[in-house]
Structures are given as structure tokens and as C-alpha cells.
Amino acid sequence: MSKQINVALIGNPNTGKTSVFNALTGLNQKVGNYPGITVEKKEGICKLPRGVKAHIIDLPGTYSLNASSLDENVVIELLLNKNDKDFPDVAVVVSDVENLKRNLLLFTQIKDLEIPTILVINMSDRMAYKGISLNIDFLEQKLETKIALVSTRKNKGINELKDLIANFKNLNTKPCLQASEIDKAYFDGLRKAFPNQLLYKLWLVITQDVNFGKVDRNTYESVADFKIKSKSDLKRLQQRETIKRYQFINEILKEGQTIDLKTAKDLRIKLDRILTHKVWGYLIFGIILLTIFQAIYDWAEVPMDFIDSTFASLSEWAKSVLPEGPFSSLITEGIIPGLGGIVIFIPQIAFLFLFISILEESGYMSRVVFLMDRIMRKFGLSGKSVVPLISGTACAIPAIMATRNIESWKERLITILVTPFTTCSARLPVYLIIIALVIPEGRFIGLSYQALTLMLLYLIGFATAVGSAYLLNKILKIKSKSFFVIEMPNYKLPLPRNVALTVVEKTKAFVFGAGKIILAISIVLWFLASYGPGEAFNNAETIVTEQYATANLSEAELQQKIASHKLEHSFIGITGRAIEPAIQPLGYDWKIGIAIVSSFAAREVFVGTLATIYSVGSDEEDTIKNRMAGEVNPILGGPLFNLASGISLLLFYAFAMQCMSTLAIVKRETNSWKWPFLQLVIMSGFAYIVALAAYQLLK
Amino acid sequence: MTLAELRRGQKAIIKDVSSVYIPLKLLEMGCLPGNSAELVQVAPFADPMYLNINGSHLAIRKETAMHIIIETTDE
């Protein structure tokens, strides 16, 4: 048995680094977090020839080793810390054949750290198309490395890359240029003060705010032996370093790379003429959004109906095989309906992630950022806020993390604060079931009313987000430099494997994350709904039988009366009726009230909660939807879920801040409890007022 | 002239970059003296600008482009 080889995949964004990772590891990968921070950590195992295994980490994409965000910091901290268990035996720098010049900047920096390094030139299938030819031997010699020409799309070069990784001991660790020449005297001083340290490592520690191991930059600065430079001096030196690196790169590419512009074709220009056009660009973006919403609604219907009825019969089947008793009813009335309430939304959530991942993979998302920047700036946001706002339709948590690349702190803070208004997938279950109950079927120019209502709810979410951003921009007095730069990557046909892996992984995270909460809450709710204090609950049967002694009820009707009497006097019924005065003006009964309160943990709990409450309160097995349709308003009569109460509920869920995980992430990203607290109070208060107004106007 | 004044299709060489206003990140993406610049597309109101700098395609705001001095090249 040999030891695993630690491999770190490093590269600029948009180089297809993740495709290389997927090609190397296949399904042997897992996604977690770096300890203490929310940066995603992707790692996997790759089988190499002769039974050797490589442990591969896919590091966050970065343009250089000068970190400007939390994600990029992860890269530097790992590369500077020899004691980290993941410290790479070999670094694999992934570059894109069309952006070699820029990609090599990062490569030369990593070479300076004297880590064995392999250069992957990805998307090599596009070389002929772009008229590019490379002198690999020359480049290998000048860059002091081994090069693997890879095409993940054509599945080429992966075995060669594996061979290079397996033989990493043959790689040399010589830097390919002398960065210290930018200020000889200064670097000589450094070398003298710390003879045992790598010079480039010292330079990185001085210029960044990285803590690696137990040595922090202060110990370096406290040594009086070399002069400390001012911040602006350091910045000037970094600029000189960058120029020097580019000079080196430009020089070797002059010889090592030829581009025949006559044979080069450029689809990008043609596509961009249309897709970033001032009229067509917006129109196409609008059509894309419309298609996505229609698809989420229409395509997901069949699998959802199937799941719904499957869970209803599963409950029935469990009831028939399990011995009667509290355990059986916990399973059939608590856990199964609760889980059914979340499993049913897998198709829609998967579709949503599918579309978002296609938009990102194809390079189209950057065009949207470009198109929207000017407009978003009017509201105190950045073009880059569009990505969080769109991915917020999946989940606010990754969306808030996606704000990290917004350069200006004020624009970023506003984006974080308003993102929870966008319609996340956890609201979807609530919306869908209420829309199905209160919005009539029928079509308007080919679009169903129900799909249009859903679209409208998404629009309300966006409009509120943008509107409140406008207000925040006026209210918040934060001075911060406005700056914006975004790469416009080439258009790519998304790789099915990449898209599929993203969809599976994100859906799984959503289902298991939500599933845990829902399972716990279902069990607690079932307990609270099945037990109660005092006479009214314990003697329900005698009380109800006496009450209806003369009413001549059938046995089934009597059982039904007993069950609902029990529910009303259970722990949950008592709590529910205590809060009823607060929610009655909104058109809800105490059962909805319980569902709302429990969904402050997570919105999607709403459906599961109602499912649990209703199945405790009734005997026959039925789908959640049919149960809700059968509920009667206790005061006014008529169906409980009608247009007025339905719209009121929809609006309440559109605005209220009901997600503990989002609050936690906002706290982490803003480093203060102040912002999440304000979000909770203001959003929920606003939701209450709007829902109240809607119900009172419509009833 | 500055990069902000570049017209579509026009090519230029970057002459000077003010390090006070331009973050390191933009320099690292290739926006350095001596490198080429070309305007690919502008968003409505000419802002932001979609540029090809040294072979890299990127978009920056006009206010940033104003701090990059260029010289046009005729071909």
C-alpha cells in the first residue's frame, strides 16, 4: 500500500477546472465546507495506474495569489501551509487554451512557491477552430514544467494527466522567473532577515492578510532588520511584479504560441452582437426567464402527482402492516406525510438548478451581469447582484455566498440584505399548493393562469428586492469605492456531466438539509398533536359521544368528530388557538397559524406541518392537497383556502423572513447580528401588514 | 485619450494605468501598459464597456476606464 498523492487543482475561473476535476474523480467526490468558513470544499479520489490513488482538491477559482475574497484566501492559505493535511504534493494548474496569457500569471506565481506543478491546457479541442498552435516542448522548457493537453469535452488527455500526476517526483521545482528583481535591495534584506524561509512565500505573507500556521505577518514585520514598506509602496511593487510576470509570459508565448487569425472563427462576436444588444439582449433574457418558469410548472407536474399519490398509498400501506399503537401512528401520521411534503418538490427544485447551472456553464450569466449593471446601479446594486438574485430563486444561502465577488462593500451589503426577498425554492412548495387550491385552471395565450400567478410571485419578489435596495441605498451611509470587473467567458455548450452533477448535488443538499429539519419538526408536531392535557383531551370519546348522542351519526362521522375534538384540545390545538387572534384578521385558522410558526425554522415546513396536523385529525389516507381543499373556515363557513386567504398567505410567504439558515449565513457574511435581526423584524412585519391588507380587501 | 473614449471596433495600446484608482485585480487580468485594448460592445448608455484586453474579454465600468490612458493604433 502506498500513500495517497495529494493533488490541488488550481486555476482561473472559467477554465473548465471543475470539468477536469469531474473527469479525474468521476463520482468519487464529496462536497463540504472548509472548517469555520462557508467556502465550498470539493474533494475526490482518482485512481492512478499501478494501484496508486490521488486525493484531489478542487480549489476555488482565482486569478492570482493576491487574494481579494474569502474564497481566494483558501487557495493561498493551503499553498502556504506545509503542515496542512491537504498540502499538495503536486499542484495542477488548469488553463484554457484561449486565455493562456492570462492563465499563466497564476501559474508563474505557483512555480515561485517551489511546489511541483503540472500545467493543464484545457479545451484543446478548440485549438484548430481558433487557429492556435502551440510549441509544447518549448513551453515545457521555459515554464519548467510538464504540460498536459486536455479536452474534457472530447475526453482526451486525461490519462496523460494521470500519468504526470503519478510521476510527480520527476517534476522540477525551479521558478520560471526571478520575481525578486523588481526590488533587489528589498528582497535581499528579506532574505537576510529570514534565511530559512522561501522568499516568495515571505512576500505573499507580507502583502496579504493571511494567517498560516502559527506564524503571522506581525512576527515578520517586528524584525527590525529590514525596512517596512507603506501600503501604497507595497501596491506599487505588486504592480511591478505583475508587469514583470506578463513581460515574461508575453515573451515566451511570442515563440511558443502562434495564432493564425485567418483560420480563426469567432462565434463569440456574432452571438454577443445579439445577446448583449440593447434591445434584443433584454428581450432574449426576458424570454429565457419566462420559459424557465413555464417549464418548472408544466414539466414537473407529472412526477409530482406521482410522488403525491405514492406517499398517500405508502402511508396506507404502512398503516396496514404495522401493529396498531403510538409507533404506527407516529410513522403513518407524523413521519411519512412530513417527508412527503418535501420529496414532492424534488422535480421542481431539480429543474430550477438545471436551468441555473446551464445559464452559468454556457457563459450566458456574465452577459446578463453586463446588461444589468447600469440598471442595477441605479438601485445601489451591482450588475453582479443579478447572479445572487437569480440563484436566490434556488436558495438564498448559496446566493448570499455568491455576493462575495461584488467588489464594493455597500453594493454587496445591500445585495445580501435584499436577496431573501427573491422567491427561493423553499417558498415553491407553499406557493404551488396554495395556487393549486385557489387559482382557477384555464389558459391565457397558452400560459396557464396558475403558471402566470407563479411568475407574478417571482416578479413581486424581484421588485421588492430591487425596491428595498433603492431605499437602503438612500438610507445606508457607507462610503465604499465602487469598482466592477467581470470576465466575459467564451460561449460553451454546457457539458451534460457537469450539469447533471451540479443538479444532483444541489438537490441532494436541499432535500437532506430540509429533510432533517422537517423530520424533526414532524415528530415534535405529531407528539404535540396526539397528546393533550386535562379532561377535554383525555375523555374526548365520552364527551363527544354524549354531545352527539341524539344526532344519530354514523360510526365514521362520530370517529371524525372525536378526532377533531382531540386535536383541538391537544397541546398543539391549545397553542394554536392562543395565537389565533393575531392571525385571524389575515384569514387563517389556528392550524395554518401553527404551520406558519413552525415554518420560521424553514418555509417548506409549512406543507409538511399541515399534512401532519390534518392526518392526525382524520382517519382516511388522502393526498395533502385534497385534505387542504376539504378544510372549512370555522367562522365564516366555506372553504378555508379561498382566494382572499390564499392570496394573503402567498403574500405573507413572499415577504416574511422565515429561514434560520439564511439568518445564520447573513450573520456570518456581515459579521454582525445587527443585519439579520433587522431582516427578520422588517421583512416579517412588512409581510404581516401586506397579508392583512390583502385579506381585508379581497374577502 | 482614455479608454472610456474608445469607439467600437477601434484598437488601442494601453499607455498608463493609475495605480491609485485601478485595483490590482484588473491589472492581473491584463490591463497593463503596453498591452492591447479593443472595444467589443457597449451596454446601453455606453456603460459598462465590454473590452478585449490583451486577449482577455472583460467588462468594466466607464468610471474605471477613465483612469486608463491609451493611444489608438491604426491598422
Side-chain angles (χ1 to χ4, degrees):
Chain A
M1 284 296 285
S2 57
K3 168 190 169 295
Q4 279 186 3
I5 303 174
N6 269 337
V7 180
L9 277 185
I10 310 168
N12 287 186
N14 304 310
T15 50
K17 190 167 54 66
T18 300
S19 311
V20 174
F21 177 71
N22 288 344
L24 284 174
T25 58
L27 287 169
N28 280 322
Q29 47 175 272
K30 65 170 194 211
V31 185
N33 273 332
Y34 288 93
I37 47 172
T38 45
V39 177
E40 209 173 62
K41 180 182 187 181
K42 285 182 118 178
E43 49 192 334
I45 297 291
C46 168
K47 287 203 180 81
L48 299 173
R50 288 181 296 281
V52 185
K53 278 186 188 163
H55 169 251
I56 300 182
I57 291 194
D58 185 14
L59 288 170
T62 178
Y63 290 105
S64 80
L65 288 185
N66 300 311
S68 59
S69 75
L70 210 57
D71 299 43
E72 292 168 4
N73 226 0
V74 167
V75 181
I76 303 171
E77 276 185 33
L78 176 63
L79 293 180
L80 293 188
N81 186 3
K82 276 215 158 88
N83 299 322
D84 194 308
K85 70 173 176 37
D86 291 328
F87 183 80
D89 296 309
V90 53
V92 174
V93 177
V94 181
S95 66
D96 155 16
V97 73
E98 287 179 56
N99 287 304
L100 210 46
K101 219 184 258 179
R102 194 190 59 223
N103 296 163
L104 284 177
L105 179 79
L106 177 65
F107 174 85
T108 63
Q109 288 183 312
I110 289 166
K111 282 294 284 177
D112 279 6
L113 289 173
E114 303 188 2
I115 296 168
T117 307
I118 297 166
L119 178 64
V120 167
I121 300 182
N122 194 14
M123 308 191 205
S124 57
D125 53 299
R126 293 182 62 84
M127 281 169 68
Y129 180 76
K130 283 281 170 184
I132 301 173
S133 47
L134 295 171
N135 183 345
I136 297 292
D137 291 339
F138 176 82
L139 291 175
E140 282 189 338
Q141 187 205 333
K142 288 288 173 190
L143 295 170
E144 305 282 356
T145 188
K146 286 283 172 197
I147 294 178
L149 270 181
V150 169
S151 163
T152 44
R153 191 172 298 272
K154 298 262 150 72
N155 213 358
K156 273 187 187 148
I158 293 294
N159 286 333
E160 287 81 350
L161 174 59
K162 285 184 184 171
D163 280 340
L164 288 178
I165 294 174
N167 299 313
F168 76 94
K169 291 206 166 115
N170 300 338
L171 293 162
N172 84 44
T173 52
K174 264 189 282 176
C176 40
L177 76 160
Q178 291 300 320
S180 60
E181 281 172 10
I182 54 173
D183 188 338
K184 258 204 147 73
Y186 178 73
F187 279 90
D188 282 346
L190 265 184
R191 189 178 289 133
K192 232 178 258 162
F194 307 98
N196 301 325
Q197 291 281 357
L198 197 61
L199 202 55
Y200 192 61
K201 192 163 151 181
L202 288 171
W203 172 238
L204 280 179
V205 175
I206 289 166
T207 50
Q208 326 286 316
D209 297 308
V210 218
N211 289 314
F212 67 101
K214 295 201 166 55
V215 216
D216 70 328
R217 53 189 307 211
N218 295 330
T219 37
Y220 290 91
E221 287 183 348
S222 64
V223 177
D225 225 30
F226 71 97
K227 57 177 193 291
I228 299 162
K229 299 237 176 203
S230 72
K231 264 217 153 100
S232 60
D233 274 347
L234 283 177
K235 199 185 163 193
R236 212 161 297 137
L237 265 188
Q238 282 182 303
Q239 183 172 353
R240 221 185 290 168
E241 179 199 338
T242 311
I243 295 177
K244 181 160 179 63
R245 289 183 191 280
Y246 265 113
Q247 274 169 353
F248 168 78
I249 293 163
N250 283 342
E251 237 162 75
I252 66 155
L253 284 185
K254 216 177 270 171
E255 262 186 83
Q257 173 184 255
T258 43
I259 302 178
D260 184 357
L261 286 173
K262 279 184 214 95
T263 58
K265 299 183 196 81
D266 212 343
L267 187 62
R268 168 209 286 268
I269 301 279
K270 283 181 202 142
L271 273 175
D272 273 338
R273 287 260 153 82
I274 306 165
L275 293 179
T276 62
H277 188 269
K278 48 188 147 191
V279 179
W280 305 128
Y282 294 101
L283 204 68
I284 292 168
F285 181 46
I287 292 172
I288 289 176
L289 284 184
L290 202 72
T291 315
I292 292 176
F293 294 126
Q294 178 70 13
I296 287 177
Y297 219 88
D298 270 5
W299 300 356
E301 206 179 298
V302 178
M304 288 178 75
D305 285 347
F306 171 75
I307 294 170
D308 200 6
S309 52
T310 308
F311 266 87
S313 40
L314 185 67
S315 229
E316 203 158 353
W317 172 81
K319 208 170 211 172
S320 67
V321 291
L322 290 170
E324 213 163 304
F327 176 71
S328 158
S329 52
L330 172 63
I331 300 269
T332 57
E333 294 168 2
I335 295 174
I336 293 180
L339 283 183
I342 185 71
V343 172
I344 187 166
F345 298 103
I346 291 179
Q348 260 153 343
I349 286 154
F351 272 127
L352 197 61
F353 283 122
L354 174 76
F355 286 115
I356 288 176
S357 112
I358 289 175
L359 290 186
E360 297 229 4
E361 279 261 320
S362 62
Y364 180 71
M365 207 66 121
S366 303
R367 272 67 186 184
V368 176
V369 169
F370 172 73
L371 279 175
M372 301 299 284
D373 183 59
R374 181 67 198 232
I375 302 169
M376 301 303 270
R377 235 183 301 164
K378 287 221 164 70
F379 299 99
L381 298 165
S382 154
K384 292 186 183 176
S385 312
V386 174
V387 181
L389 290 180
I390 291 180
S391 53
T393 57
C395 177
I397 295 160
I400 285 169
M401 290 196 276
T403 61
R404 281 182 196 150
N405 65 357
I406 297 174
E407 294 89 349
S408 142
W409 166 242
K410 188 178 179 184
E411 288 172 350
R412 181 169 167 223
L413 177 65
I414 295 179
T415 312
I416 290 175
L417 293 177
V418 305
T419 294
F421 274 122
T422 56
T423 305
C424 67
S425 49
R427 285 188 178 97
L428 210 51
V430 184
Y431 286 177
L432 291 170
I433 206 142
I434 294 170
I435 288 176
L437 285 172
V438 305
I439 305 291
E441 285 178 32
R443 276 175 190 267
F444 175 71
I445 44 171
L447 296 163
S448 72
Y449 288 137
Q450 300 191 337
L452 282 172
T453 310
L454 185 68
M455 171 105 188
L456 198 67
L457 282 164
Y458 275 85
L459 286 179
I460 289 174
F462 282 123
T464 319
V466 171
S468 45
Y470 183 80
L471 289 177
L472 284 168
N473 189 31
K474 296 266 177 251
I475 297 165
L476 291 175
K477 295 273 171 274
I478 298 172
K479 276 221 160 62
S480 89
K481 245 191 207 165
S482 134
F483 173 68
F484 170 90
V485 57
I486 186 168
E487 191 190 345
M488 305 290 271
N490 221 331
Y491 290 106
K492 285 186 288 272
L493 217 56
L495 281 176
R497 167 150 72 173
N498 285 0
V499 174
L501 277 172
T502 314
V503 171
V504 170
E505 174 205 300
K506 302 264 166 171
T507 313
K508 221 162 76 183
F510 175 84
V511 172
F512 285 111
K516 260 183 265 169
I517 302 174
I518 288 174
L519 192 65
I521 290 183
S522 302
I523 294 172
V524 172
L525 283 176
W526 171 85
F527 177 80
L528 292 177
S530 304
Y531 296 91
E535 280 296 289
F537 181 85
N538 292 320
N539 293 330
E541 278 171 45
T542 353
I543 296 169
V544 176
T545 321
E546 273 170 25
Q547 197 179 343
Y548 292 98
T550 52
N552 219 353
L553 292 175
S554 73
E555 183 60 23
E557 278 171 314
L558 189 65
Q559 286 304 325
Q560 188 69 42
K561 293 277 182 213
I562 292 172
S564 63
H565 180 90
K566 267 190 164 173
L567 186 60
E568 255 184 83
H569 293 91
S570 66
F571 289 113
I572 209 167
I574 294 163
T575 326
R577 288 199 301 175
I579 60 167
E580 206 164 21
I583 51 162
Q584 217 161 36
L586 277 60
Y588 318 148
D589 71 346
W590 66 267
K591 293 175 190 165
I592 302 180
I594 290 292
I596 288 178
V597 170
S598 61
S599 59
F600 269 90
R603 298 180 179 92
E604 62 276 32
V605 169
F606 179 82
V607 182
T609 304
L610 283 185
T612 306
I613 296 179
Y614 291 154
S615 68
V616 173
S618 92
D619 259 353
E620 69 262 45
E621 298 308 319
D622 202 346
T623 62
I624 303 164
K625 195 175 130 187
N626 288 344
R627 280 214 184 102
M628 288 172 72
E631 281 293 301
V632 173
N633 189 313
I635 299 162
L636 304 169
L640 178 64
F641 292 93
N642 56 20
L643 193 66
S645 65
I647 299 282
S648 157
L649 255 182
L650 289 175
L651 290 174
F652 186 84
Y653 272 83
F655 300 131
M657 180 68 205
Q658 299 164 288
C659 180
M660 293 204 286
S661 321
T662 304
L663 291 172
I665 218 83
V666 171
K667 193 260 156 185
R668 235 191 276 185
E669 296 289 315
T670 60
N671 234 332
S672 136
W673 278 112
K674 177 177 149 196
W675 301 117
F677 179 74
L678 283 175
Q679 272 182 318
L680 178 67
V681 173
I682 294 175
M683 288 177 69
S684 307
F686 181 61
Y688 185 85
I689 293 166
V690 174
L692 178 69
Y695 181 71
Q696 295 302 332
L697 286 174
L698 287 169
K699 77 169 178 187
Chain B
M1 66 192 270
T2 71
L3 193 57
E5 298 159 61
L6 200 63
R7 286 195 306 274
R8 202 160 88 178
Q10 229 179 355
K11 286 181 180 152
I13 296 287
I14 297 171
K15 285 288 154 195
D16 193 22
V17 176
S18 156
S19 70
V20 185
Y21 295 102
I22 306 298
L24 189 61
K25 194 172 167 192
L26 190 55
L27 305 179
E28 288 167 350
M29 290 173 96
C31 190
L32 287 169
N35 284 344
S36 65
E38 185 188 344
L39 185 62
V40 180
Q41 180 83 286
V42 285
F45 310 103
D47 193 12
M49 310 170 78
Y50 175 178
L51 301 153
N52 177 352
I53 292 179
N54 197 30
S56 279
H57 292 81
L58 34 103
I60 57 173
R61 287 179 186 166
K62 207 168 184 170
E63 54 186 301
T64 310
M66 286 190 325
H67 297 291
I68 299 167
I69 312 293
I70 54 157
E71 197 169 85
T72 52
T73 49
D74 292 312
E75 281 182 30

